[in-house]
Amino acid sequence: MPDLAGELSRALPGMRASSGEADRVAYSRDLWPRHHLDVRAGQPAEHRPGAIVWPSSTEEVARVVRWARERGVALVPFGAGSGVCGGIAPREDVVVVDLKCLDRIRTLDPAAPVVEVEAGHMGVPFEQALGGRGFTLGHFPSSILCSTVGGWVAARSAGQCSGAYGKIEDMVSSLECVTGMGEVVRLRRRQSGVDLVPLVVGSEGTMAIVTSAELRLHPAPTCRGFGAWSFPTTPDGWQAMRALFQSGLRPAVARLYDPFDAMLAKQGGVKKEGTKRTRPAAGARSRSFGGTALRAVLRRPGALNDLLHSRVAARALGGAMLVVIFEGTDEGAQRGLDEARTLCESIGGVWEGEAPARRWLAHRYSVSYRQAPVFADGAFVDTMEVAARWSKLGDLYEGVRRALGEHVFVMAHFSHAYPDGCCIYFSFAGSADPGLVRELGWDAACAATYDRAWKSALAAAVEAGGTLAHHHGVGRSKAPRLRSELGHGVDVVRSLMKAFDPAGILNPGNLLPSPAPGTPPPASSPPSPLGLDRDSLLACIDAGTDLAAAERQLNDTDLTLDLSASSLSGSLGEWLARGAPGARDRWLDPADQLLAGLDATLSDGRPLVIHPAPRRAVGPDLTALFVGAGGRFGRIDRAWMRVHRRDATRPTAPAFEIDRDPTVSDGERTLLDDITRAL
Ligand SMILES: Cc1cc2nc3c(=O)[nH]c(=O)nc-3n(C[C@H](O)[C@H](O)[C@H](O)COP(=O)(O)OP(=O)(O)OC[C@H]3O[C@@H](n4cnc5c(N)ncnc54)[C@H](O)[C@@H]3O)c2cc1C
């Protein structure tokens, strides 16, 4: 094994580096549950890096990258290692770059309001610092205790309050990054011009190392409105969620639990304080009654799932439950709740009071950190977050639940809603398939059952028209299935990697499948005459369509594109390529978006289909190659536009004063040229 730490210390004097055994073990993985199974099977650190380095400034990161490029050594950017998809799986010839020493808040402009924070800042102290100045970012992933700003950006993360503040991609106004060439570049969001930020957000450490992010802030909330309703069935509950978001209401938190998950949530979803549990010794499998019972129950998941998901069980368990929290700095939070109450009750919701929402808030991070005992008991748990537009949500829910349910016990809640669709968060628990235990042994049989469950669930998600990931990202766990969702998009992402990192030194093997062709994506279904998906308030419109004509057609069905009169001229494709001038400012409603997907033809004639699925986290947002890019990389053939009811009120977030169209910098121009060549 090469002495990488020694080489680093000689080449970059003063920079902390280590190849100590304890460090190499600590940095050998993230929190992908598949790794936990390996650990339980006695393989705790299969992916030890050669060395770890701790740069403490952007310039130091750039020096590490330039050294690695010259030396031909791969680098794995590391935030806090809380990723759950195998994004961190280094090898002995790889150096892990821990960004946590880049942890300063560089500037906070209260007038905008906007903050510039370094990538290694951990979530909780960051929010505390903002709170001390009267602001919030509004980003509260359940992993906020153990994740960094850079990790959020790299994985396209979502927080619990996404209903009001959006996902991380809706908060970034600019990024400072170091490309694989070792160049420091500042990328800025642009309202009507080419925008490279969405290409780095979601790139999972494969294109550039994010060193700092400029993020939009909101006034810290001082008022909250809490509410909960039960509904006879889960679909009844999501109809209410859809109605809330499509009517223009923006609860920061909106969580719908299926009947079994609702029953747990009503009990607080966590064990009572002070409950003690005896842990088995490391490496040993629990022989306790609880552990034995758990494994026995999980060996027959099919029957258990059928029983708990029956109508009778739904009734007996008290139905599904929707929990919402509105927040803000005035009585608007209570007004939002009152309107939500009227709406939910008009469609059959039964008011359950404030308590479930208050209880959820008090325990908002507890459930996520209770997995270890299940692994110690010889079983496994994991979560899967998929999303689809509203019209496909039922297919997605049934398809994935059935696919998972053949192998594991499944629960679900719906925790990130938008006007055009929603995320479903499946939690599942499993044990070894009895048919495999004799042949493989317990731990390998558990791993095989786990792999089968994931494989069929991901296939079901794509078949149902959903996305493979809404906020956990792709990593190595979903990479083999990526082509089934992105098609040629996989090759486009590979080309982008070449442009940002020609030597391929940044987290190789992550995000993309091996170059062999995978399953092609399902053919995109032809749109109906108007291309209208009314349930999801989306219209699929040919790029050549005259905008004014499209608007007239939509008006006939009481819908509108809601564009200023001056922008309603020329074709949709040209208008999007110019950056959609005159469209509503994206910062006014972070939970909404201008378009949900598109079909395009790249300059070399390859087709690219980006299916409409709300806020996917499967790599970079490739629509950025077309919207505002002036046709540089290809042409738009049709676009899935968000449409609005003509009488709907559109939400307005607090003011955000930054330059909407900053000048394109030399660094951005160089990258644009590199991308053009690579594509
Ligand atoms: C208990 C638990 C709850 C979770 N809840 C949520 C949730 O509510 N919402 C959510 O979105 N996710 C959640 N996650 C997943 C995870 O926390 C997120 O993906 C998070 O964004 C990862 O941040 P990190 O700093 O730990 O990144 P890491 O795990 O260190 O890295 C993640 C990926 O990003 C890359 N990377 C990290 N930093 C940088 C950087 N500065 N520049 C370039 N690339 C970088 C890495 O190479 C890797 O591929 C949860 C995870 C756990 C364990």
Side-chain angles (χ1 to χ4, degrees):
M1 188 184 99
D3 174 20
L4 290 172
E7 279 191 50
L8 270 163
S9 303
R10 282 188 293 280
L12 309 170
M15 204 168 320
R16 234 178 96 213
S18 165
S19 41
E21 200 49 25
D23 287 328
R24 292 180 57 225
V25 169
Y27 285 88
S28 64
R29 62 192 180 99
D30 58 9
L31 294 181
W32 182 18
R34 187 67 170 73
H35 288 315
H36 302 342
L37 288 173
D38 293 342
V39 173
R40 195 178 67 203
Q43 298 152 350
E46 286 287 277
H47 300 281
R48 268 169 286 195
I52 302 92
V53 65
W54 290 271
S56 59
S57 66
T58 301
E59 184 43 40
E60 287 196 352
V61 174
R63 285 167 62 204
V64 171
V65 175
R66 289 197 288 267
W67 167 83
R69 191 161 170 263
E70 277 160 28
R71 174 69 180 73
V73 168
L75 301 174
V76 174
F78 191 101
S82 72
V84 286
C85 303
I88 313 277
R91 293 186 321 224
E92 290 204 333
D93 56 353
V94 163
V95 172
V96 164
V97 186
D98 185 348
L99 278 308
K100 276 194 290 299
C101 293
L102 276 86
D103 63 351
R104 285 161 291 249
I105 291 183
R106 291 185 182 167
T107 54
L108 191 158
D109 173 2
V114 73
V115 67
E116 170 84 28
V117 58
E118 291 183 341
H121 211 307
M122 296 290 292
V124 167
F126 179 46
E127 259 303 320
Q128 282 167 345
L130 294 177
R133 304 280 301 271
F135 293 102
T136 181
L137 175 64
H139 190 66
F140 299 90
S142 302
S143 58
I144 191 167
L145 297 119
C146 59
S147 58
T148 62
V149 171
W152 300 342
V153 170
R156 258 170 109 168
S157 161
Q160 295 166 342
C161 298
S162 59
Y165 305 102
K167 285 181 67 188
I168 195 73
E169 57 259 45
D170 308 307
M171 302 172 186
V172 176
S173 54
S174 85
L175 287 179
E176 179 193 82
C177 358
V178 177
T179 66
M181 303 285 284
E183 305 285 345
V184 181
V185 56
R186 166 73 62 175
L187 310 177
R188 293 181 192 285
R189 297 230 67 181
R190 249 168 229 100
Q191 183 86 12
S192 49
V194 69
D195 183 353
L196 296 177
V197 172
L199 300 181
V200 172
V201 178
S203 61
E204 301 191 24
T206 63
M207 291 185 197
I209 300 185
V210 177
T211 47
S212 180
E214 189 189 60
L215 303 167
R216 184 247 185 104
L217 297 179
H218 296 257
T222 48
C223 306
R224 287 202 169 107
F226 298 89
W229 299 266
S230 54
F231 291 88
T233 65
T234 310
D236 293 327
W238 79 57
Q239 298 302 350
M241 235 171 157
R242 177 168 73 94
L244 287 181
F245 278 84
Q246 291 188 347
S247 72
L249 289 169
R250 294 290 179 267
V253 177
R255 301 171 75 87
L256 171 72
Y257 297 93
D258 76 3
F260 188 72
D261 221 348
M263 193 259 296
L264 294 181
K266 280 175 194 160
Q267 295 173 354
V270 290
K271 284 202 285 187
K272 297 211 170 32
E273 298 297 327
T275 310
K276 284 248 166 28
R277 178 177 197 290
T278 327
R279 274 163 203 258
R285 190 174 311 131
S286 164
R287 297 194 187 286
S288 68
F289 174 72
T292 309
L294 177 73
R295 290 195 301 278
V297 167
L298 293 178
R299 281 162 86 170
R300 307 263 176 273
L304 189 61
N305 287 315
D306 288 348
L307 178 70
L308 286 174
H309 292 291
S310 66
R311 279 192 166 269
V312 179
R315 245 196 324 272
L317 291 167
M321 186 169 65
L322 175 62
V323 169
V324 301
I325 304 177
F326 285 84
E327 63 181 35
T329 51
D330 56 22
E331 67 285 356
Q334 186 56 45
R335 222 176 24 246
L337 180 69
D338 295 343
E339 285 177 38
R341 186 165 178 180
T342 307
L343 209 160
C344 285
E345 289 172 23
S346 75
I347 48 182
V350 175
W351 175 245
E352 293 279 344
E354 293 190 349
R358 288 190 181 275
R359 202 163 42 229
W360 174 83
L361 190 66
H363 296 290
R364 63 195 292 187
Y365 303 122
S366 311
V367 172
S368 303
Y369 298 91
R370 296 193 177 257
Q371 297 187 348
V374 183
F375 282 89
D377 279 336
F380 60 79
V381 278
D382 202 349
T383 57
M384 179 187 190
E385 24 63 66
V386 288
R389 50 193 158 118
W390 292 109
S391 59
K392 302 271 182 188
L393 201 70
D395 292 346
L396 183 70
Y397 177 62
E398 287 304 331
V400 174
R401 194 171 62 73
R402 211 171 303 121
L404 278 173
E406 284 175 22
H407 309 277
V408 290
F409 171 62
V410 198
M411 299 184 296
H413 67 255
F414 300 66
S415 48
H416 305 275
Y418 310 95
D420 55 332
C422 190
C423 161
I424 313 179
Y425 192 89
F426 290 99
S427 306
F428 56 87
S431 155
D433 180 332
L436 297 173
V437 176
R438 191 187 299 270
E439 183 193 339
L440 301 175
W442 183 267
D443 285 322
C446 265
T449 310
Y450 175 92
D451 291 344
R452 285 179 182 180
W454 265 104
K455 191 173 176 192
S456 43
L458 290 172
V462 173
E463 199 174 316
T467 176
L468 297 171
H470 170 267
H471 57 267
H472 284 166
V474 176
R476 284 163 181 80
S477 67
K478 297 169 204 163
R481 320 271 166 246
L482 198 60
R483 194 176 284 277
S484 67
E485 176 170 342
L486 294 188
H488 285 311
V490 164
D491 308 312
V492 172
V493 176
R494 208 181 299 282
S495 302
L496 289 173
M497 286 177 180
K498 279 214 176 79
F500 279 84
D501 172 26
I505 55 168
L506 294 178
N507 211 346
N510 196 33
L511 182 60
L512 288 189
S514 54
T519 325
S524 118
S525 51
S528 59
L530 192 64
L532 199 58
D533 173 351
R534 212 177 169 102
D535 281 350
S536 317
L537 289 181
L538 291 172
C540 182
I541 305 175
D542 278 342
T545 309
D546 180 69
L547 270 174
E551 175 68 7
R552 275 197 302 278
Q553 265 187 291
L554 287 166
N555 290 172
D556 289 344
T557 61
D558 249 353
L559 296 171
T560 173
L561 288 164
D562 197 20
L563 305 175
S564 64
S566 61
S567 50
L568 286 174
S569 72
S571 75
L572 172 72
E574 286 162 14
W575 177 74
L576 285 174
R578 282 190 286 126
R584 196 165 188 258
D585 184 7
R586 69 158 70 91
W587 303 101
L588 284 174
D589 182 8
D592 205 354
Q593 54 187 345
L594 179 70
L595 84 170
L598 50 77
D599 292 9
T601 305
L602 292 157
S603 302
D604 66 3
R606 277 177 301 164
L608 179 67
V609 177
I610 303 168
H611 295 285
R615 302 298 207 276
R616 47 168 49 87
V618 289
D621 175 3
L622 299 179
T623 63
L625 289 170
F626 302 94
V627 179
R632 184 173 189 141
F633 306 114
R635 63 159 202 273
I636 298 171
D637 296 320
R638 56 184 193 171
W640 287 87
M641 301 297 298
R642 268 277 291 120
V643 294
H644 308 267
R645 295 206 186 92
R646 289 181 82 184
D647 58 358
T649 324
R650 297 199 60 187
T652 305
F656 182 46
E657 306 294 343
I658 51 151
D659 184 356
R660 297 312 199 246
D661 283 305
T663 321
V664 179
S665 69
D666 289 347
E668 287 174 306
R669 221 181 304 273
T670 306
L671 269 174
L672 276 167
D673 290 341
D674 292 342
I675 295 171
T676 309
R677 272 192 295 277
L679 281 176

